[in-house]
Amino acid sequence: MVKMAANEEKQQGHRPGVYKQKNKGHKHGKHRTKGEIERENKGRVSVTTLTKKQRKELGKMDRRHKANQLRKTKKDQVLMEKRRLGSRDGPPHLVAVVSLHANADAGAVSKLLRGEGAGGVVHLERCVSGVGDSFGLIVPRFKQRFTFLNQSTDDMHSLLDVAKVADSLVFVLDSTEGWDTYGDHCLSCLFAQGLASHALVCQGLSDISVKKRVDFRKALSKITEVRFPDSRLFPLDSDQDATLLLRHLGSQRQRKLGFRSRRSHLLAERVAFTPNGPMEGSGGGGPSGLGTLRVSGYVRGCALHANRLVHISGHGDFQLSQIDAPPDPLPLNLTTVRATKPGRGRDVEMQDGDESEAPVRVLMKADPSSRESLQVEAAVDPMDGEQTWPTEQELLDAEEARKNKRVMKVPKGTSDYQATWIIDEDEEEENGETDEESSDDDDGDDLMDEAMDGEDEENHSQETGSQAASEDEDDEEEEEEEVLSTERGGADQRYDDNMDEAAEEEGLKRYREARSHELFPDEVDTPLDAPARIRFQRYRGLKSFRSSPWDPMENLPLDYSRIFQFQSFERTRRRILAEAAADEDGAMDGWYVTLHIIDVPVSVMESVQSGKPLVLVSLLPHEQKMSVMHLLVQRHPSNTEPIKSKEELVFHCGFRRFRASPIFSQHTTADKHKMERFLRPDAPTVVSVYAPITFPPAGVLLFKQRNDGVQDLVATGSLLSCDPRRVVLKRIVLSGHPFKINRRSAVVRYMFFNRDDIMWFKPVELRTKWGRRGHIKDALGTHGHMKCVFDNQLRSQDTVLMNLYKRVYPRWTYDPYVPSQLPWFKKEVTIEMDDLDME
């Protein structure tokens, strides 16, 4: 009994094990607050939480104070830049007056702004070199100074150059129509390049009656809001209106343009040229046409360093020898201010800005050891190629070819060396065919062009024959037609005199090619007189255009040895732009300096003397070197003519303009990009071209020059990147017709015309226009019939296709010289109605 009681006591003291069921507690909806968690932890904090709180994360009030400080700093910086422009410490406010209508007078606007009633004092006449109607204006009432220049729209290059450096643009509109067709063309170019701060001015509203004046302003505002939705229209008919315009120009918010705010630029106000002596410069003597160009002007943008290269728009890149600091010709030091009647201005006495009174101070000289070089292309070493030892099979073939000597008839006395250069007729024919075939490998469209030309010539010959037969049969009818044609001969002859027949034929050919490409994209006819495996030997098939590999360093052209490449273009761009923004060594923004530019051709001075403005920009490191630049453009709506790939175009990229022959490709995120034969009107297109390196952002304009000198705007966009490793693949499509159709197989013909070509292209996958996929199984016969297997049964109206690809590159046709264009509105042909027979 005692033992049983002891066992019962032991059983009562049993404890549950680790596998005992534990039910979840009731969730009453309450959650612990941060304070409760901290009280329960009693100060114990993990290492990660302590690190985040103390080092990275700030408290609520600290975050608020930091945001307020950043906001205040940004606001002060914007206000300082805004107040600095046109003040004593900054450069004068550069304003360009542009007329957008043939009836609008920009000279009358300038005359009203420089009048005494506007409140300004004209201190300088012809202050911009090369521009006749320009003046410097000081407004004591606003404590600001301006530089006004009237820029004509006849020279588009000069208009774009001035718009790149101008702080504000004043557009003069017509009181009824606003702007004309050519004015709209100028606005398209300016918007695509990057439009600075602007103001809209209209004259002639005061001449309209008071009842109709409101309606005229509403109609004009409705016209302008299409291009300028948030801009205010300023009437300019009195001195009070001129004062309001000056106040608006001096206080309006400045729009930043990325391509000029990151580079130092300058508009030449005084230019002098000194030819090189007999022992000076790299050009030798004075007869070489080189010399030193001294350009004076206000530095704008970033700091200007003497060791950097400068680019003169339209002329090229040059080096600096030194930078001088002459006296400011437009100072804002007011010694005496005497108020006069309201609206009559003020009499101001200012310091004389003549450079003869104060000596010119040398600001800095270029260091030849650290100065940027003018090297444009990389040094090409023809012996620096890949050298491989020949294989055993190649050695055996060479030995066999040496043993099999060729027996040929040669003139008596010919040596063995001379005999090797004599070619037999059969061999000459074979080599001629091979050379002709290889010369056309780069352009897959040549066969299509030749076929189309052949068909046109054949049709033309048939028409000529039929005309000759009809002439013999109907001589009397022809005489009657000649009599009738003489009545209209005068008007038709005058119309035909202004027509370029060669341009008409070229345009017709281009339209036919674009139409054929639109209906049958990338389709090419297989040649009958040459094997397809030789004609398309540079092409290859891809299992998947998206995922199949393509080595970007494979079979590069010789031109790639002349260009420069970045390991990481984006990282280099960020580093260089950050260094340029933080650089404070050199001539700062707002200083009036004189640049000594060495080895400049005399044509630059001739351009200035002809009345064109001179714009200089300091280049960033590496921006003088050549590489493969990619531009993202959109076709302009005004252009309707097809633009073919590898056609010469005129480029305006940032501060540069040049001519080149680009290639077009699709804008995708893949590692391979399909080439476009024509510039697409409905989608953005990437334009690849050999050009000097330019760091984005930068606006891009593409022009096409006619035979008469007029340049049409064809596309606008922006700079994309610099990447020689970007793979652009050209696609050709070989088509065949299903001859016999079975359940899963079909006999296809007309894709190839011999058995060897079929076996050569057998590994390439086939597809059809109706979505079937398959492959070649075997060749049937010797005339190009082949048995193909597909994933489903074909339809009788289906077409079998084979896609082949090869990598293409731009053509090295870079030319920095761009001729001046003529205004296209002056080249339009007008025909009087009296000259035409209205019958």
Side-chain angles (χ1 to χ4, degrees):
M1 297 292 294
V2 178
K3 291 183 178 180
M4 294 177 61
N7 291 335
E8 290 179 359
E9 291 179 359
K10 289 182 180 179
Q11 289 178 359
Q12 291 177 359
H14 174 73
R15 294 184 179 180
V18 294
Y19 298 106
K20 178 179 173 58
Q21 179 179 348
K22 294 180 180 178
N23 297 328
K24 293 182 179 180
H26 176 66
K27 297 181 180 179
H28 44 71
K30 296 182 179 179
H31 303 281
R32 294 185 303 170
T33 62
K34 293 182 180 180
E36 292 178 354
I37 295 174
E38 291 180 357
R39 284 193 297 270
E40 291 179 2
N41 292 334
K42 297 181 179 179
R44 297 187 297 270
V45 183
S46 63
V47 178
T48 56
T49 306
L50 181 63
T51 305
K52 286 183 179 180
K53 282 193 173 183
Q54 299 297 330
R55 297 184 180 180
K56 295 183 179 180
E57 294 185 359
L58 300 176
K60 184 177 181 180
M61 297 304 299
D62 294 337
R63 291 195 303 269
R64 183 176 297 177
H65 290 326
K66 186 176 181 180
N68 291 335
Q69 290 174 357
L70 293 176
R71 189 183 301 111
K72 186 177 182 300
T73 304
K74 189 68 177 294
K75 184 178 180 180
D76 294 342
Q77 183 180 0
V78 172
L79 288 176
M80 184 183 66
E81 292 179 358
K82 181 178 178 180
R83 295 168 180 169
R84 196 166 178 273
L85 181 62
S87 64
R88 180 182 305 175
D89 300 330
H93 197 120
L94 182 59
V95 182
V97 183
V98 181
S99 175
L100 297 180
H101 198 280
N103 298 330
D105 188 7
V109 174
S110 300
K111 184 178 180 181
L112 196 60
L113 291 174
R114 67 193 302 171
E116 295 182 358
V121 178
V122 178
H123 189 64
L124 286 176
E125 295 285 352
R126 299 177 60 88
C127 61
V128 178
S129 180
V131 181
D133 193 0
S134 60
F135 58 93
L137 184 69
I138 294 179
V139 185
R141 180 179 178 182
F142 306 142
K143 297 181 180 180
Q144 288 184 330
R145 50 182 179 170
F146 297 87
T147 299
F148 286 91
L149 68 148
N150 286 351
Q151 180 55 49
S152 174
T153 57
D154 294 345
D155 188 1
M156 181 59 68
H157 292 170
S158 300
L159 175 62
L160 294 177
D161 289 343
V162 169
K164 291 171 186 174
V165 298
D167 298 316
S168 298
L169 297 173
V170 175
F171 295 119
V172 185
L173 310 180
D174 184 64
S175 58
T176 57
E177 298 180 1
W179 52 75
D180 53 11
T181 307
Y182 187 69
D184 187 74
H185 172 71
C186 295
L187 286 178
S188 299
C189 298
L190 293 174
F191 271 99
Q193 176 181 263
L195 190 64
S197 302
H198 51 272
L200 304 180
V201 170
C202 178
Q203 286 187 314
L205 291 178
S206 60
D207 300 336
I208 304 174
S209 60
V210 180
K211 295 182 179 180
K212 297 182 179 180
R213 191 176 303 173
V214 177
D215 297 336
F216 268 86
R217 292 197 62 172
K218 287 183 178 180
L220 191 58
S221 300
K222 192 173 183 180
I223 296 174
T224 57
E225 70 181 3
V226 177
R227 289 276 192 179
F228 308 96
D230 300 328
S231 297
R232 175 185 172 187
L233 184 62
F234 288 87
L236 195 63
D237 296 318
S238 62
D239 295 338
Q240 185 179 3
D241 296 338
T243 304
L244 292 177
L245 180 61
L246 290 176
R247 180 190 294 274
H248 174 74
L249 292 175
S251 60
Q252 71 175 344
R253 180 182 178 183
Q254 294 297 315
R255 301 181 61 181
K256 276 194 173 183
L257 300 180
F259 69 93
R260 76 176 184 184
S261 62
R262 293 178 171 88
R263 297 171 180 84
S264 176
H265 52 278
L266 179 145
L267 178 64
E269 299 193 357
R270 297 180 183 179
V271 181
F273 183 79
T274 304
N276 288 342
M279 301 299 293
E280 294 181 6
S282 60
S288 64
L290 301 179
T292 300
L293 190 71
R294 296 192 303 276
V295 180
S296 300
Y298 291 93
V299 178
R300 303 173 188 272
C302 299
L304 178 61
H305 202 279
N307 292 330
R308 296 280 179 85
L309 298 179
V310 294
H311 174 77
I312 302 178
S313 295
H315 299 282
D317 306 334
F318 304 95
Q319 291 178 329
L320 296 177
S321 61
Q322 70 179 34
I323 301 177
D324 298 340
D328 193 343
L330 192 64
L332 197 60
N333 298 329
L334 309 179
T335 56
T336 304
V337 178
R338 180 174 57 86
T340 58
K341 295 181 181 180
R344 298 294 299 172
R346 300 182 179 183
D347 296 338
V348 181
E349 295 182 5
M350 292 163 290
Q351 294 180 354
D352 192 2
D354 192 3
E355 296 183 2
S356 60
E357 294 184 1
V360 177
R361 179 169 57 92
V362 178
L363 191 62
M364 62 186 308
K365 290 188 177 183
D367 186 6
S369 60
S370 59
R371 182 167 55 184
E372 291 280 345
S373 66
L374 290 171
Q375 182 183 7
V376 177
E377 302 177 11
V380 180
D381 186 3
M383 303 301 295
D384 193 19
E386 182 181 359
Q387 302 293 331
T388 58
W389 189 257
T391 61
E392 295 181 0
Q393 184 64 30
E394 292 175 346
L395 292 175
L396 293 176
D397 294 343
E399 184 66 20
E400 185 178 355
R402 188 182 65 82
K403 292 179 179 179
N404 298 333
K405 292 185 177 180
R406 181 162 49 95
V407 179
M408 56 185 300
K409 295 180 180 181
V410 296
K412 187 176 181 180
T414 304
S415 63
D416 295 339
Y417 176 77
Q418 294 173 342
T420 58
W421 294 95
I422 298 177
I423 303 175
D424 291 340
E425 295 181 357
D426 298 339
E427 184 179 356
E428 185 176 1
E429 292 177 0
E430 295 176 359
N431 293 339
E433 293 176 359
T434 305
D435 296 339
E436 185 178 359
E437 293 167 2
S438 61
S439 63
D440 295 339
D441 283 343
D442 292 337
D443 297 326
D445 295 338
D446 292 345
L447 290 177
M448 297 177 63
D449 297 342
E450 292 174 3
M452 294 174 64
D453 295 342
E455 293 176 0
D456 295 342
E457 293 176 1
E458 186 176 355
N459 296 334
H460 180 69
S461 62
Q462 293 177 1
E463 293 174 1
T464 306
S466 61
Q467 289 176 2
S470 61
E471 287 176 358
D472 296 337
E473 296 176 359
D474 303 328
D475 292 339
E476 297 179 357
E477 295 179 1
E478 183 181 0
E479 292 178 358
E480 294 178 359
E481 292 177 358
E482 290 180 357
V483 172
L484 294 175
S485 63
T486 54
E487 298 177 359
R488 294 177 48 88
D492 292 343
Q493 184 66 28
R494 283 189 291 272
Y495 186 86
D496 293 340
D497 290 342
N498 297 318
M499 182 180 295
D500 189 354
E501 296 183 1
E504 289 287 324
E505 294 179 0
E506 183 67 22
L508 177 60
K509 180 180 177 181
R510 192 180 295 108
Y511 271 112
R512 286 179 176 176
E513 291 180 9
R515 181 62 176 169
S516 176
H517 177 67
E518 183 179 356
L519 296 177
F520 309 100
D522 300 327
E523 289 196 22
V524 177
D525 294 334
T526 305
L528 297 173
D529 55 348
R533 63 186 182 277
I534 296 178
R535 174 61 187 89
F536 306 122
Q537 61 184 348
R538 297 188 181 183
Y539 291 84
R540 69 181 70 171
L542 293 178
K543 178 68 175 177
S544 172
F545 186 83
R546 180 187 61 84
S547 59
S548 296
W550 194 294
D551 186 7
M553 305 302 292
E554 176 186 2
N555 294 333
L556 297 178
L558 185 61
D559 291 336
Y560 265 52
S561 62
R562 304 163 59 183
I563 64 175
F564 293 86
Q565 179 180 352
F566 296 97
Q567 186 176 5
S568 176
F569 177 74
E570 185 62 26
R571 183 171 65 245
T572 305
R573 184 187 73 88
R574 289 196 299 264
R575 177 181 58 83
I576 289 179
L577 294 181
E579 292 176 356
D583 188 11
E584 297 183 356
D585 186 13
M588 302 303 295
D589 179 26
W591 292 6
Y592 186 79
V593 298
T594 299
L595 307 180
H596 294 252
I597 311 172
I598 59 176
D599 295 339
V600 179
V602 70
S603 59
V604 179
M605 192 63 190
E606 295 175 354
S607 175
V608 175
Q609 294 175 352
S610 64
K612 296 181 180 180
L614 193 66
V615 176
L616 287 81
V617 58
S618 178
L619 298 179
L620 298 174
H622 311 298
E623 284 197 328
Q624 80 279 9
K625 301 175 182 177
M626 296 290 291
S627 186
V628 181
M629 303 300 299
H630 304 289
L631 322 171
L632 183 61
V633 301
Q634 180 81 38
R635 185 169 171 177
H636 196 262
S638 64
N639 176 257
T640 57
E641 296 184 0
I643 306 300
K644 193 175 180 180
S645 182
K646 296 186 179 181
E647 189 175 354
E648 186 181 71
L649 299 175
V650 177
F651 290 77
H652 286 251
C653 182
F655 283 94
R656 292 186 182 273
R657 59 175 178 263
F658 54 88
R659 293 184 295 176
S661 300
I663 61 173
F664 306 141
S665 60
Q666 294 179 352
H667 180 48
T668 60
T669 57
D671 59 342
K672 296 179 292 297
H673 311 272
K674 180 182 170 297
M675 173 189 151
E676 295 288 351
R677 299 175 187 266
F678 293 90
L679 187 63
R680 298 184 58 181
D682 56 344
T685 306
V686 177
V687 178
S688 302
V689 64
Y690 289 113
I693 296 170
T694 303
F695 294 103
V700 173
L701 288 84
L702 271 64
F703 293 88
K704 182 181 177 182
Q705 186 165 353
R706 304 183 199 168
N707 296 331
D708 54 6
V710 178
Q711 296 180 3
D712 299 325
L713 180 64
V714 298
T716 60
S718 60
L719 184 60
L720 183 62
S721 65
C722 169
D723 186 13
R725 297 170 62 93
R726 189 176 190 269
V727 178
V728 179
L729 298 182
K730 179 179 181 179
R731 184 185 72 173
I732 62 170
V733 180
L734 304 181
S735 59
H737 177 68
F739 180 51
K740 295 180 181 180
I741 300 176
N742 300 321
R743 183 180 298 272
R744 292 284 302 275
S745 63
V747 178
V748 181
R749 61 179 179 177
Y750 302 151
M751 182 176 290
F752 303 107
F753 299 101
N754 58 75
R755 185 183 184 89
D756 295 337
D757 289 344
I758 296 175
M759 303 308 294
W760 179 269
F761 291 100
K762 185 177 180 180
V764 183
E765 186 182 17
L766 300 177
R767 67 177 182 89
T768 68
K769 290 188 176 181
W770 288 66
R772 305 278 74 84
R773 291 188 176 274
H775 62 275
I776 301 173
K777 188 174 182 180
D778 197 3
L780 303 178
T782 60
H783 291 79
H785 290 211
M786 56 185 181
K787 184 178 181 180
C788 305
V789 180
F790 295 92
D791 57 356
N792 206 340
Q793 188 175 13
L794 297 186
R795 296 176 180 268
S796 59
Q797 67 269 29
D798 206 347
T799 304
V800 181
L801 305 175
M802 176 183 289
N803 295 339
L804 300 176
Y805 302 91
K806 78 167 182 178
R807 187 177 179 183
V808 291
Y809 306 90
R811 291 178 178 175
W812 193 290
T813 57
Y814 173 79
D815 186 5
Y817 172 72
V818 178
S820 299
Q821 62 170 333
L822 299 177
W824 55 270
F825 69 91
K826 292 186 177 181
K827 300 295 292 184
E828 292 180 350
V829 179
T830 57
I831 303 173
E832 297 182 1
M833 298 301 295
D834 297 335
D835 295 338
L836 298 178
D837 188 2
M838 301 303 295
E839 297 178 358

